Amino acid sequence: MLRDTQWLAWLIPLVYALGAIDALRRGRAWPALMLAARSALGLAAGLLLLDFRIDLHGASGSACLVAAVVTLLVAFLGWVIAGYSRTSLAGEPGERRYVVALLATLAAVTVVLTTENLLLLIAAWAASSLTVHQLLIFYPERPLARLAARKRFVVSRIAELCMLAAAALLYHRWHTLDLGTLARLAGNGAAAPLSVELAAALIAVAVLLKSAQLPVHGWLLQVMEAPTSVSALLHAGIVNLGGYVLIRLAPLITASLPAQVLLVVVGSTTAVLAGLTTMTCPSIKTRLAWSTCSQMGLMATEFGLGLYDLALLHLLAHALYKAHAFLGSGEAVRESTTRRMSPPAPAAGRIGRLLPLIAAPLALLVIAGSETLWQRVLHVPKIAPVAALLCAFGIATLLWESAGSAALLLRNLGAAVLGVQLYLGWHAAILGGLGVASVSPLPPLAAWTALCFLVLYLAQWSAQRGTHSGATGRLFAWASAGYFLDEPLTRWVAHRWPRGRARSPVPRAAHRLARQEGEAA
């Protein structure tokens, strides 16, 4: 935040902290939670309006407006989750402990969004991890809940050590930890020294670890043992926090080739493998967890390619979608059951069978035509070809759902056209406000990304056709078990905490059951 709205921004974590203190009093847990959530939402809305007014008058950069938008998103999600928690957890033995941990988490997250000091950002990020740990073990008698919390604890501490090492390198080089100054020094156009490139790479590693990327993703799948509201908070807010850190340090990431390579290679690989696993999950919540892992991988890839406007839009949309998906997961189960009991859909005609082949080129045509129109009318900067390709693959999978119904095809195509216009408008409005100039993705990284998502697209097409023989069938059998990539960390954590050793076969049995289900399918 800039000086003009700094005081108002700091009121939001203060409100959450005061609410946590108030919740310690007997009988005040839920009233304190709702009062703090409503007050923080009102302050965040006021902050956004004030920043928008300042930005219109030219007294502030749009970077401040971006921070206000993310702060409002966090406050809104906190308010929604607070209301859901009050309904679902009222009367539970640990309700006061839950409310205090939830408010402390929201306070720590908003400090991350507000502070201009890198060291304070690291401390607040670590504090949010420790308070979330208390939420994850809300039911301490559940073995998988303890296992997931312990694995996340280990991964988070490694990530924070990486962040501290990066801060030390940056301070040694530039003698400052102010985020704005660091961004300005990194984006001055000069070649970044080795220490700065190493610091950026360490920050990228920390974000990948905190974002549950392969092979340290297993804890994200096992937090389903926590209350549904905790899953919504984790998937919609806490896991996304690394993306906001990358936005704040965008010039630093852009100046470091190792950081970009790490983000693109690890992110795209995770997105593809987790995306394949998502198609094999019989459980709604497990499917959502793998989907979050895949989406975080795609988001990391966008940051590594320099597509910061697309990554920010992805971050906001993913947070809202995942909160809705988890809080409405009961309805999703009911809809899935109803769908299975409904009569089978009519077989797709010739157009429906050809749709997967023509969907991606059709989507690219829509994007190219829309971009040409925006450039001629409003002179909007061009989007990178790899960004257009990623959007086209997303639109194509939406159009697949239209097989066999011309009306549904037209509706989804109209939604796709509208979505493209919204993205191009966002691209024009937000690009200058991220504190970094338009970045052209490095050709090798763009080519790698295109190849990875082409493989995922073809695998999805194969699954859509029901082709599970040979190599494809073996791949899906391994995917249904999560490729067993999480086993080393699970065994290490079970060894470090001997009390959980007797229960360590539980995740292995779950993997075995998932593999059997995948082979049967």
Side-chain angles (χ1 to χ4, degrees):
M1 300 291 179
L2 298 181
R3 298 279 184 261
D4 302 298
T5 55
Q6 186 79 18
W7 63 274
L8 183 58
W10 279 105
L11 287 178
I12 299 173
L14 179 62
V15 164
Y16 285 129
L18 292 175
I21 295 172
D22 187 23
L24 292 172
R25 296 161 53 195
R26 184 177 299 275
R28 285 290 302 167
W30 297 115
L33 174 62
M34 297 311 300
L35 178 61
R38 293 187 187 113
S39 301
L41 181 59
L43 287 170
L47 174 66
L48 179 60
L49 291 175
L50 182 59
D51 276 328
F52 184 71
R53 181 174 177 272
I54 292 173
D55 188 57
L56 284 178
H57 287 80
S60 168
S62 295
C64 189
L65 189 61
V66 170
V69 169
V70 179
T71 301
L72 179 60
L73 173 68
V74 170
F76 174 73
L77 293 177
W79 173 66
V80 172
I81 291 170
Y84 184 95
S85 302
R86 185 177 188 177
T87 302
S88 62
L89 296 176
E92 290 279 353
E95 60 180 12
R96 189 190 306 178
R97 173 169 51 91
Y98 171 87
V99 169
V100 172
L102 176 59
L103 286 171
T105 300
L106 293 172
V109 169
T110 48
V111 169
V112 173
L113 303 179
T114 302
T115 183
E116 289 292 326
N117 183 274
L118 180 58
L119 193 59
L120 183 55
L121 183 149
I122 296 170
W125 203 2
S128 70
S129 175
L130 294 174
T131 52
V132 165
H133 184 85
Q134 299 304 314
L135 294 172
L136 294 180
I137 56 173
F138 181 74
Y139 298 117
E141 71 279 0
R142 298 182 178 181
L144 284 182
R146 293 200 308 272
L147 179 65
R150 290 167 179 173
K151 288 160 68 174
R152 187 180 186 276
F153 183 90
V154 171
V155 172
S156 296
R157 300 298 80 77
I158 296 172
E160 286 144 18
L161 288 175
C162 291
M163 289 294 294
L164 287 172
L169 288 170
L170 292 173
Y171 186 81
H172 180 266
R173 176 68 188 181
W174 286 324
H175 305 288
T176 182
L177 291 177
D178 181 77
L179 293 174
T181 305
L182 291 174
R184 187 178 69 254
L185 292 172
N188 60 8
L194 180 61
S195 60
V196 173
E197 289 200 349
L198 180 57
L202 287 170
I203 293 171
V205 170
V207 170
L208 291 170
L209 290 172
K210 292 265 193 178
S211 301
Q213 298 297 278
L214 298 178
V216 293
H217 63 290
W219 61 266
L220 188 65
L221 311 177
Q222 292 157 354
V223 295
M224 299 302 123
E225 295 291 318
T228 300
S229 54
V230 176
S231 298
L233 174 69
L234 191 67
H235 287 256
I238 302 301
V239 177
N240 283 335
L241 205 54
Y244 182 77
V245 172
L246 291 179
I247 289 174
R248 296 293 300 274
L249 297 171
L252 191 64
I253 301 300
T254 302
S256 172
L257 178 60
Q260 295 176 58
V261 171
L262 276 170
L263 290 169
V264 170
V265 173
V266 176
S268 59
T269 303
T270 299
V272 171
L273 294 180
L276 292 173
T277 305
T278 302
M279 295 186 289
T280 69
C281 295
S283 167
I284 295 292
K285 283 191 173 182
T286 305
R287 190 182 308 162
L288 288 173
W290 275 108
S291 170
T292 295
C293 187
S294 178
Q295 293 300 316
M296 290 300 102
L298 176 55
M299 205 178 298
T301 303
E302 292 161 355
F303 282 117
L305 293 172
L307 307 175
Y308 295 104
D309 59 321
L310 178 59
L312 179 58
L313 180 61
H314 192 174
L315 185 152
L316 299 174
H318 178 265
L320 292 171
Y321 165 70
K322 271 302 180 335
H324 175 269
F326 271 98
L327 297 181
S329 56
E331 289 297 323
V333 173
R334 186 180 304 172
E335 290 176 6
S336 177
T337 303
T338 304
R339 196 180 305 117
R340 287 198 302 267
M341 296 174 64
S342 301
R350 185 174 182 181
I351 295 180
R353 290 191 296 270
L354 293 176
L355 195 55
L357 288 176
I358 64 175
L362 179 62
L364 280 173
L365 184 62
V366 169
I367 294 170
S370 300
E371 185 182 19
T372 302
L373 181 63
W374 277 77
Q375 286 178 339
R376 290 184 177 179
V377 175
L378 297 176
H379 307 288
V380 173
K382 292 186 66 175
I383 61 175
V386 67
L389 187 64
L390 292 177
C391 293
F393 283 148
I395 292 172
T397 54
L398 174 67
L399 296 180
W400 286 357
E401 300 177 3
S402 313
S405 173
L408 186 58
L409 175 61
L410 290 176
R411 190 184 72 180
N412 287 347
L413 186 59
V417 171
L418 178 60
V420 170
Q421 311 315 310
L422 291 175
Y423 168 54
L424 291 172
W426 173 268
H427 175 73
I430 209 69
L431 190 61
L434 294 176
V436 62
S438 179
V439 178
S440 297
L442 297 176
L445 296 181
W448 167 267
T449 302
L451 178 61
C452 285
F453 285 93
L454 178 61
V455 169
L456 178 59
Y457 183 82
L458 294 176
Q460 290 174 325
W461 180 27
S462 175
Q464 188 84 357
R465 297 176 59 195
T467 305
H468 295 291
S469 59
T472 304
R474 289 191 294 272
L475 173 62
F476 274 79
W478 273 76
S480 64
Y483 315 97
F484 302 99
L485 294 174
D486 183 50
E487 285 297 323
L489 181 59
T490 299
R491 291 173 181 170
W492 186 86
V493 170
H495 177 72
R496 291 290 297 174
W497 276 275
R499 288 173 58 186
R501 186 177 298 166
R503 294 182 171 89
S504 61
V506 173
R508 227 173 300 143
H511 284 319
R512 188 161 54 249
L513 178 61
R515 186 174 71 250
Q516 291 171 357
E517 290 177 349
E519 291 172 349

